[in-house]
């Protein structure tokens, strides 16, 4: 009816009459929700929801298995304090803190990785590659071996060490010249790798000159392990992660604008250097938190943002997907570390190094092929 009426329209009409025929297929486009310059697509929301469900399923699996296997139908009530006392004790006091800590620390690593990969605009710009994780480890070692520090002292040492390392790398990376003033991502990575190598030598020297008991303790801690975490460490960790998330909410939009370049960011009213410093402080705090609680855990911050970016197919670096992916990666790695040899569980850092090393080789080959095209 509509086609016939249109074809019989008077020839004096200004608009040409549409011709009847098969319609071309329309591309299905996902709607996009925008807040400022931060795109949030339904695909990103779906990926985040899927990762969150995977995290919850993995947490239940990690809590229900071990030397004593607990059926899932008993695990869920035990999480809320229901059931027999033995099951509640195993679930709430022995296994749940470790699983939750893996989720929190993995999120912190994902946040740190996303921030620094965005700042350097390079998938290799991870805090553990640049050397900030090594600096945090150095600060924690100084407190443990030389000052005999407590948990809070170790956390403060890790934060100071990571911040001092970032300051040194930042100052050494500043480029001054016509049209090249500021921080260059590639230069930041190269300087960071060099500083990380020097700090690794310092860390080795500190361990070699320590007492045998202290050396063994920091060697186990330096491998990155979640053994021994309890509810006592949960409160400061939760508070720090909440502060990090709040900072990310405030800085995320500016971070995406900064990805367009300093000149474009300045034109849009974003102070590039101040924003960069605030983002670096947030990322360093995230890495220092992990070093203080579990020791240096490598490659999660490197891999999580890139995996999340490929799943969401976004152009920019999304902090929320990276944080969730970091949680999932660390929880799965810790589960493998506990189950691969139940009589002698491995530190989770050993598993992440093995998996991350393979990922790093693949990433280097992939980036090399891109430059050869």
């Amino acid at each position: 009816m509509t086609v016939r009426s249109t074809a019989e329209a008077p020839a004096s009409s200004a608009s040409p009459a549409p011709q009847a025929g098969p319609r071309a297929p329309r591309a299905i486009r996902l709607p996009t929700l925008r807040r400022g310059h931060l795109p949030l697509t339904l695909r990103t929301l779906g990926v985040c929801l899927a990762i969150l469900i995977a995290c919850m399923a993995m947490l239940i699996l990690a809590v229900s298995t071990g030397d004593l296997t607990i059926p899932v139908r008993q695990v869920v009530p035990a999480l809320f304090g229901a059931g027999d006392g033995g099951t509640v004790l195993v679930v709430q006091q022995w296994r749940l803190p470790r699983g939750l800590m893996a989720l929190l620390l993995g999120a912190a690593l994902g946040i740190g990785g996303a921030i620094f990969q965005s700042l350097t605009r390079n998938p290799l710009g991870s805090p553990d590659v640049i050397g900030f994780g090594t600096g945090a480890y150095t600060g924690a070692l100084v407190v443990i071996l030389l000052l005999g520090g407590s948990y809070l002292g170790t956390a403060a040492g890790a934060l100071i060490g990571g911040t001092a390392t970032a300051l040194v790398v930042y100052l050494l990376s500043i480029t001054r010249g016509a049209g090249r003033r500021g921080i260059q991502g590639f230069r930041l990575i190269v300087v960071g790798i060099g500083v990380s190598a020097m700090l690794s030598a310092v860390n080795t020297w500190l361990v070699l000159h320590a007492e045998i008991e202290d050396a063994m303790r920091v060697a186990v801690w330096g491998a990155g392990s979640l053994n021994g975490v309890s509810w006592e460490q949960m409160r400061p960790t939760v508070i720090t992660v909440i502060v990090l998330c709040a900072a990310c909410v405030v800085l995320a939009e500016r971070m995406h604008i900064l990805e367009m370049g300093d000149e474009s960011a300045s034109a849009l009213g974003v102070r590039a250097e101040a924003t960069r410093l605030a983002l670096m402080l947030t990322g360093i705090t995230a890495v220092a938190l992990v070093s203080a609680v579990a020791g240096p855990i490598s490659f999660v911050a490197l891999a999580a943002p890139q995996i999340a970016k490929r799943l969401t197919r976004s152009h920019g670096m999304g902090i929320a997907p990276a944080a969730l992916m970091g949680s999932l990666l660390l929880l799965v790695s810790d589960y493998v570390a506990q189950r691969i040899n139940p009589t002698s569980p491995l530190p989770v850092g050993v598993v992440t190094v093995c998996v991350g090393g393979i990922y790093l080789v693949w990433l280097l080959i992939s980036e090399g092929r891109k430059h050869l095209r």
Side-chain angles (χ1 to χ4, degrees):
M1 183 64 183
T2 304
V3 172
R4 180 181 178 85
S5 301
T6 306
E8 292 175 353
S12 59
S13 176
S15 59
Q19 297 180 357
R23 293 184 176 179
R26 299 179 60 184
I28 300 176
R29 302 182 62 181
L30 292 173
T32 301
L33 307 176
R34 286 185 177 273
R35 179 183 179 274
H37 296 271
L38 178 62
L40 183 62
T41 63
L42 285 182
R43 182 181 182 87
T44 301
L45 290 176
V47 169
C48 290
L49 182 60
I51 299 175
L52 183 62
I53 293 174
C55 286
M56 294 299 103
M58 193 65 214
L59 178 63
I60 292 177
L61 177 63
V63 170
S64 63
T65 56
D67 294 337
L68 175 65
T69 301
I70 303 175
V72 175
R73 66 177 182 278
Q74 298 179 12
V75 168
V76 177
L79 291 175
F80 301 96
D84 64 273
T87 302
V88 173
L89 175 66
V90 172
V91 170
Q92 286 194 350
Q93 300 299 325
W94 294 359
R95 297 177 180 174
L96 185 60
R98 181 171 186 141
L100 292 178
M101 190 64 77
L103 292 175
L104 292 172
L105 298 185
L109 289 173
I111 290 173
I115 287 176
F116 282 105
Q117 289 182 19
S118 173
L119 289 177
T120 59
R121 303 168 199 169
N122 193 310
L124 294 175
S126 174
D128 44 358
V129 175
I130 296 176
F132 300 160
T134 309
Y137 182 35
T138 303
L141 277 183
V142 170
V143 173
I144 293 175
L145 297 180
L146 303 181
L147 304 178
S150 60
Y151 171 72
L152 291 179
T154 304
L159 179 59
I160 294 173
T163 306
T165 304
L167 180 61
V168 171
V169 173
Y170 178 81
L171 293 177
L172 294 177
S173 304
I174 293 178
T175 302
R176 298 184 184 279
R180 293 177 61 84
R181 184 171 183 176
I183 296 296
Q184 303 296 324
F186 183 73
R187 183 184 176 95
L188 183 71
I189 295 174
V190 173
V191 171
I193 291 175
V195 172
S196 177
M198 290 188 290
L199 289 176
S200 297
V202 173
N203 295 342
T204 304
W205 183 84
L206 288 173
V207 174
L208 289 176
H209 286 77
E211 297 293 335
I212 184 65
E213 293 83 4
D214 293 336
M216 293 178 63
R217 184 160 59 93
V218 297
V220 173
W221 179 78
S225 176
L226 293 174
N227 293 332
V229 295
S230 62
W231 288 110
E232 296 179 358
Q233 299 160 296
M234 192 64 66
R235 178 177 296 179
T237 304
V238 170
I239 294 174
T240 307
V241 172
I242 291 175
V243 172
L244 289 173
C245 293
C248 290
V249 170
V250 174
L251 296 172
E253 185 175 345
R254 301 176 192 175
M255 186 185 79
H256 284 272
I257 295 176
L258 202 61
E259 290 176 352
M260 297 186 295
D262 289 2
E263 295 181 357
S264 300
S266 299
L268 293 173
V270 175
R271 298 173 59 188
E273 288 302 319
T275 303
R276 188 176 288 113
L277 285 175
L279 287 168
M280 289 181 66
L281 181 61
T282 304
I284 292 167
T285 304
V287 176
L289 170 68
V290 178
S291 297
V293 175
I297 298 177
S298 304
F299 290 110
V300 175
L302 174 70
Q306 290 299 315
I307 297 175
K309 184 178 180 180
R310 282 167 171 74
L311 290 177
T312 57
R313 297 179 183 175
S314 59
H315 297 288
M317 194 62 65
I319 294 180
L324 291 171
M325 181 55 67
S327 298
L328 182 60
L329 285 180
L330 189 57
L331 186 58
V332 172
S333 299
D334 187 54
Y335 180 83
V336 173
Q338 293 182 73
R339 302 296 181 271
I340 194 171
N341 186 11
T343 57
S344 180
L346 296 173
V348 65
V350 175
V351 176
T352 59
V353 166
C354 294
V355 177
I358 299 172
Y359 172 78
L360 181 60
V361 171
W362 174 83
L363 184 61
L364 290 174
I365 294 175
S366 176
E367 292 296 318
R369 287 178 176 175
K370 286 182 181 178
H371 289 291
L372 291 177
R373 291 175 184 172

